[in-house]
Amino acid sequence: MLEDFIHFIQKENLFQPEDKILIAVSGGIDSVVLAKLFSLAKFNFGIAHVNFSLRGEESLADEVFVKKFAKTLKVPYHNIVFDTKAFAEKEKISTQMAARLLRYNWFEEIRQREGYQYIATAHHQMDSAETVLINLTRGSGLAGFHGIPLKNGHIIRPMLFANQEQIFDLVVEKHLAWREDSSNESTKYQRNFIRHEIMPKFQELNSTFDETLAQTSERIRDIEEWIQEEYAMWQEANIKSDTANNLFVQLNDKTAREKVMQQRWLQSLAFNGDQIAQITNHPADKVGKIFESPLFTLNIDRNQWVLSPKDQSEYKPILVQEEDEIIDLGTKELHIYVEENTADFKVPTEANIACLDADSLTFPLEIRKSQEGDWFCPLGMNSKKLISDFLTDKKVALNIKKTTLLMLSKGSVAWIVGHRIDNRFKVSDKTETVMIFELKPKV
């Protein structure tokens, strides 16, 4: 499979050997195989993992597994925890759509910040075949028939040549471990329903149906590549941005080409089909109409669309850098000090102050809301305790429990903000430098 993998990348010109690639790794069999192939091929890559906080301890176990896997492969590891349910509820979208939007936006942030050329996902032939069928159920133009695109901007799919048999063969050959997502078996999700109920029927008619559909998609892809070139030229000519990342789209005569390009672009920004129809059919000279997707707010204004990006910061952690002195937490502020652990230093006992051994902390620290399955070792104890159980024992009201913040160092809870520190980060006789975190009302 390794030779086929390298040949496929070269044939499709997916990236150059010297490029730095960010691989999205969930911990499942497909992404584990993709990362292993990159390692065997000696490509330059890093691993990114997202904890969507949807499966409690199972999600945490996935996170631990991928972190160890990245360490085994000796590659950079990037991780984030999202409050996916809150984002889905606020934007009135499915958790699957919310997870997709959050992860791809974050992948792009990491790509730009860390200097990766591309983001690689582990989609393979069966995934592409399933996507074609999903697109057919929703109603689709030409783009829906090519399945999952091989290359889409900075996103690449180097395993689209592979079938499931090849993937399992490599797992056996290299003795690879992976994590099984229990939600993959639930047919309440559309993709799972197609995978478990519909695809087997097609395979009864044609045992290599996924490969046949992949070949058909490849033929259509040639046409789609030509359209993609037209699309890129349209974007260059019609879309501008400012320093605040607002987007301005010039509205031209409503030719068929113009409408196709507009529809394609709006879809990429997560506007749904009904919204896209209303936006593209709305008279350009009638101003003030507002449309919202989970990512953008669109205003039709004097023969142009003006789009402002939505702030998603509340769904991801606040980062604390070592040099920070004050962190804004909404209605409160976190003030940070550094002191030497001299004989005169006394550890404060107030719940709003955390004194931690500076050498035990790895920056940047993360501050986020407590999620199901989070645990820590309460001060004075060496055993684990669920955060939810600790807060229940303290008789913290349910609505306050939901907004309780945690401070984490390298994925481990160091402080339940305003309540208790973790025993592993406490100040001891061996501590030389103390990091002091004090929660104060915003003035």
Side-chain angles (χ1 to χ4, degrees), residues 111-315:
R111 188 194 69 79
Q112 293 185 28
R113 189 176 73 226
E114 301 296 332
Y116 291 97
Q117 275 71 45
Y118 293 102
I119 300 158
T121 68
H123 294 99
H124 50 78
Q125 281 185 358
M126 182 64 79
D127 293 317
S128 190
E130 291 166 356
T131 299
V132 172
L133 296 181
I134 289 171
N135 290 338
L136 288 175
T137 66
R138 294 172 177 167
S140 174
L142 182 65
F145 286 88
H146 66 47
I148 298 172
L150 181 60
K151 196 170 188 177
N152 185 14
H154 294 291
I155 299 171
I156 57 175
R157 277 88 182 203
M159 284 215 317
L160 277 183
F161 73 96
N163 56 40
Q164 289 182 309
E165 184 178 350
Q166 290 173 294
I167 291 170
F168 278 113
D169 285 347
L170 189 76
V171 166
V172 173
E173 178 189 344
K174 300 299 179 183
H175 308 287
L176 298 177
W178 75 91
R179 292 278 302 170
E180 192 64 57
D181 184 342
S182 59
S183 66
N184 286 340
E185 298 303 314
S186 174
T187 55
K188 72 176 182 179
Y189 302 120
Q190 186 182 35
R191 181 173 291 276
N192 289 350
F193 179 78
I194 287 176
R195 177 175 301 167
H196 298 302
E197 302 290 339
I198 305 300
M199 284 296 291
K201 300 297 183 185
F202 278 101
Q203 288 169 325
E204 287 179 12
L205 297 172
N206 178 357
S207 61
T208 59
F209 176 71
D210 53 328
E211 295 180 29
T212 301
L213 204 52
Q215 291 168 2
T216 302
S217 297
E218 189 171 350
R219 298 187 193 105
I220 294 174
R221 197 170 71 217
D222 293 336
I223 302 172
E224 180 63 17
E225 285 178 3
W226 169 68
I227 295 176
Q228 185 66 26
E229 292 175 5
E230 289 285 309
Y231 178 57
M233 288 190 291
W234 176 84
Q235 286 181 291
E236 179 69 23
N238 294 282
I239 302 174
K240 308 299 178 187
S241 62
D242 62 16
T243 55
N245 294 321
N246 296 307
L247 301 175
F248 303 86
V249 183
Q250 183 64 42
L251 300 182
N252 304 310
D253 294 336
K254 289 188 177 180
T255 63
R257 176 183 182 274
E258 184 75 8
K259 194 166 185 177
V260 167
M261 298 303 165
Q262 290 176 350
Q263 290 171 341
R264 189 185 189 100
W265 188 71
L266 289 169
Q267 188 176 30
S268 74
L269 302 186
F271 288 94
N272 63 43
D274 289 340
Q275 289 175 314
I276 291 172
Q278 291 180 53
I279 293 168
T280 54
N281 291 322
H282 194 278
D285 57 349
K286 291 188 177 180
V287 303
K289 185 69 174 177
I290 299 291
F291 298 88
E292 294 200 18
S293 83
L295 302 180
F296 285 88
T297 298
L298 182 151
N299 179 24
I300 298 178
D301 181 55
R302 290 179 290 276
N303 291 309
Q304 68 174 349
W305 296 335
V306 180
L307 294 95
S308 55
K310 289 187 174 181
D311 182 11
Q312 295 178 359
S313 59
E314 64 182 291
Y315 308 111

Side-chain angles (χ1 to χ4, degrees), residues 52-54 83-89 92-103 183 188-189:
F52 294 108
S53 307
L54 295 173
D83 191 346
T84 311
K85 284 186 178 178
F87 178 57
E89 289 171 1
K92 296 180 175 58
I93 56 177
S94 68
T95 54
Q96 288 73 38
M97 173 62 80
R100 182 183 183 281
L101 295 175
L102 289 171
R103 71 173 174 265
S183 66
K188 72 176 182 179
Y189 302 120

Side-chain angles (χ1 to χ4, degrees), residues 20-33:
K20 186 179 174 186
I21 310 299
L22 180 66
I23 303 179
V25 178
S26 66
I29 185 171
D30 302 331
S31 59
V32 165
V33 165

Side-chain angles (χ1 to χ4, degrees), residues 318-329 334-338 363-367 407 435-438:
I318 298 168
L319 298 183
V320 181
Q321 304 294 345
E322 194 167 5
E323 64 273 14
D324 288 339
E325 296 180 355
I326 299 177
I327 300 295
D328 188 341
L329 298 179
L334 187 66
H335 291 246
I336 305 170
Y337 317 94
V338 179
F363 288 86
L365 305 178
E366 294 183 358
I367 297 176
M407 178 186 289
M435 294 286 293
I436 303 171
F437 301 88
E438 184 175 2

